[in-house]
Amino acid sequence: VQLQASGGGLVQAGGSLRLSCAASGRDFRRYSIGWSRQAPGKAYDWKAQELIATTNWNGDFTSYGSSVKGRFTISTDNARNTVSLQMTDLKPDDTAIYYCAAGIGTIRVPRDFSSWGQGTQVTVSS
């Protein structure tokens, strides 16, 4: 599975951003897909990742991390083969590098993902 993320940027606290991720490759619809993030200033390490949201291409399952539940919404566009993360009421603690990722089965922790896109930076100023 190949993943290409876009949409990061700088926003003030209380603002909104939308991340998008284009998926491709063989049988990518078999994969659960979602977003994970890592706080800045830390070397890339799956153990430092925070699982943000996951879903599947059937649209019958979504899950959110406790820190973003009620503020972030994950959705898929099957016609465009994209998964989006709508982020609202952003806080400075949401500042991180956000990764789009995919994996087989239920994703409970970031290490359950087997395919990763490049990260996109989200910075929330206070």
Side-chain angles (χ1 to χ4, degrees), residues 60-117:
D60 58 4
F61 173 82
T62 57
S63 178
Y64 296 94
S66 57
S67 65
V68 305
K69 197 168 187 178
R71 300 188 297 123
F72 291 12
T73 302
I74 189 170
S75 61
T76 57
D77 184 334
N78 285 5
R80 298 182 179 182
N81 298 335
T82 58
V83 58
S84 296
L85 185 69
Q86 180 67 45
M87 305 183 292
T88 63
D89 189 23
L90 282 161
K91 307 176 187 302
D93 283 349
D94 293 319
T95 295
I97 300 172
Y98 284 71
Y99 295 90
C100 176
I104 293 292
T106 301
I107 306 298
R108 294 183 176 87
V109 292
R111 64 179 175 180
D112 290 338
F113 289 126
S114 56
S115 299
W116 295 79

Side-chain angles (χ1 to χ4, degrees), residues 50-67:
E50 178 186 4
L51 186 63
I52 296 303
T54 60
T55 189
N56 60 24
W57 293 98
N58 294 329
D60 58 4
F61 173 82
T62 57
S63 178
Y64 296 94
S66 57
S67 65

